[in-house]
Amino acid sequence: MQNALPLTATEHSLPVFDYLVDRDFASDVLAGLSQQQKQLQPKYFYDQQGSRYFDQICALKEYYPYQTELALLPKVAQDLAQRFTGDSLIVEFGAGSLVKVKPLLQALPGIRQFVPIDISGEHLALACQQLQRDFPAVAVSPVVGDFCTTLTLPVMPLQHCIGFFPGSTIGNFTPAQARQFLCNARQTLGPDGWLLIGVDTKKSPVYLHQAYNDAAGITARFNRNILTRINRELDAAFRPETFEHYAFYNAGQSRIEMHLVSTEEQVVDVFGTAVAFSVGESIHTENSYKYSPDEFMQLAATAGWHTEQHWLADKKLFATYLLRSS
């Protein structure tokens, strides 16, 4: 593992550790587009514009996971405050705009350090500056990196190390990838680590369809933005307007699938490689797996985690789990 590298102090008022996550972007894109079912990794949605789109998605009434989890977190935070009474730090995986960590920072006075990890460096730095102003007693140490890997973090030696992975992002992984993430998180957090994780539940496909096909079309713009990013950073020639957003619930796999479907026959130059599309051919851009509580607790156990406590939102729309390294 390479050492973390700070970005320039003139750009950010907080020290930001950068794992140079973009070095694999070109190879990942070309590898994904060369498969029979073309695909792109959803972590690449989150450039600065993609992060803005996702913030807009979270404000939509159709997108139940965000509002449901946010309403659940104050109760979760109260329960955690009774359990974690000593000094502690929180490590947030895929931190984004740092909204969901605030109930934890407000309820747990023993938190001394907060380490948010995200792939979108500029978006993360701006969010951290505001969070540091709101919580001046907490040392905020942002890390730009791929949270799917094992990272060496700039952390203080404190009593409790608590990982935080909200938003049901675990569902973007296949079950095998989710298990690998959980194994990597155990290594990152250490042998006495804890993990607070949000997981979307199985429910009526009506809820799911509305959540990923909003009337305002913001999810569609979010989906297409990955093509715009590829154009900008890899000198590609996608025409995003020739790809339609398509999201549906695959009941057999217990997952939402999100695709970009070509509306015409075309050949796109991507970093010097010609990529052909037939009419109706898709790029699979994201999965969102749904788990029953028993299914998720069993998955966590296979990665070396014991479920200490879990919370279910109203109508069982969402679940949050507290895991302990076993």
Side-chain angles (χ1 to χ4, degrees), residues 69 164-171 195-200 296 318-321:
E69 183 182 31
F164 185 41
F165 195 35
S168 72
T169 308
I170 190 74
L195 180 62
L196 184 70
I197 183 168
V199 181
D200 202 7
F296 182 74
F318 196 87
T320 298
Y321 301 83

Side-chain angles (χ1 to χ4, degrees), residues 182 197 199 291-312 319-324 326:
L182 292 169
I197 183 168
V199 181
Y291 293 91
S292 70
D294 286 345
E295 287 172 339
F296 182 74
M297 287 188 282
Q298 183 177 0
L299 174 65
T302 66
W305 293 99
H306 173 72
T307 303
E308 291 284 328
Q309 189 172 353
H310 78 281
W311 301 259
L312 282 174
T320 298
Y321 301 83
L322 180 64
L323 310 179
R324 184 173 189 175
S326 58

Side-chain angles (χ1 to χ4, degrees), residues 195-214:
L195 180 62
L196 184 70
I197 183 168
V199 181
D200 202 7
T201 56
K202 292 183 175 179
K203 58 183 64 67
S204 167
V206 174
Y207 280 102
L208 299 171
H209 180 81
Q210 292 175 347
Y212 294 87
N213 294 277
D214 62 277

Side-chain angles (χ1 to χ4, degrees), residues 69-262:
E69 183 182 31
L70 201 60
L72 186 62
L73 278 172
K75 166 60 177 170
V76 173
Q78 291 175 6
D79 291 347
L80 294 183
Q82 299 177 25
R83 184 184 293 268
F84 299 108
T85 57
D87 291 347
S88 59
L89 68 94
I90 292 182
V91 178
E92 183 172 358
F93 300 94
S97 295
L98 308 183
V99 173
K100 292 177 182 175
V101 74
K102 291 180 181 179
L104 305 184
L105 297 178
Q106 291 164 349
L108 280 72
I111 295 174
R112 298 288 177 253
Q113 187 179 12
F114 173 54
V115 180
I117 307 169
D118 201 87
I119 201 169
S120 182
E122 186 172 355
H123 190 80
L124 177 65
L126 292 173
C128 284
Q129 289 171 18
Q130 181 59 54
L131 191 79
Q132 186 68 88
R133 288 191 288 268
D134 293 342
F135 297 92
V138 178
V140 179
S141 308
V143 171
V144 180
D146 183 354
F147 63 80
C148 296
T149 64
T150 301
L151 302 176
T152 302
L153 302 176
V155 297
M156 304 174 182
L158 296 170
Q159 182 176 352
H160 300 295
C161 184
I162 308 167
F164 185 41
F165 195 35
S168 72
T169 308
I170 190 74
N172 293 153
F173 305 135
T174 66
Q177 291 168 339
R179 181 184 181 279
Q180 186 60 57
F181 164 78
L182 292 169
C183 289
N184 290 343
R186 280 186 67 229
Q187 295 182 43
T188 295
L189 297 169
D192 298 319
W194 299 74
L195 180 62
L196 184 70
I197 183 168
V199 181
D200 202 7
T201 56
K202 292 183 175 179
K203 58 183 64 67
S204 167
V206 174
Y207 280 102
L208 299 171
H209 180 81
Q210 292 175 347
Y212 294 87
N213 294 277
D214 62 277
I218 296 173
T219 307
R221 292 195 285 275
F222 171 74
N223 199 6
R224 290 191 190 96
N225 182 67
I226 197 170
L227 303 181
T228 302
R229 179 182 182 183
I230 293 170
N231 284 349
R232 182 181 66 250
E233 297 185 23
L234 299 183
D235 195 28
F238 278 106
R239 289 177 294 141
E241 69 275 9
T242 65
F243 288 82
E244 289 185 344
H245 167 74
Y246 179 50
F248 66 95
Y249 183 59
N250 183 331
Q253 296 289 332
S254 299
R255 71 188 187 194
I256 283 282
E257 291 187 17
M258 201 154 73
H259 293 252
L260 288 167
V261 182
S262 178

